[in-house]
Amino acid sequence: MISEAITNGTVRVDYISTRPETGGIYYKSVYAEKVTGSDEKLYVVGSGIYQ
């Protein structure tokens, strides 16, 4: 996911994951984007949500 965000600028990934709070298995969507910080370094910032 990180290498795709670096290459393409953004990435969205849907997958199945264990939810820590419940221990159950859920679908999860994650979006990540390549950004340049105020320190001029490259970062990949992402966020996800259980469905």
Side-chain angles (χ1 to χ4, degrees), residues 1-2 5 9-13 30-34 44-47:
M1 181 170 58
I2 293 171
T10 65
V11 64
R12 180 173 176 219
V13 179
V30 176
Y31 174 81
E33 186 171 319
K34 176 177 72 171
V44 175
V45 179
S47 182

Side-chain angles (χ1 to χ4, degrees), residues 16-38:
I16 297 172
S17 178
T18 303
R19 190 170 184 166
E21 300 89 34
T22 65
I25 297 174
Y26 294 85
Y27 288 98
K28 187 171 187 179
S29 292
V30 176
Y31 174 81
E33 186 171 319
K34 176 177 72 171
V35 297
T36 303
S38 60

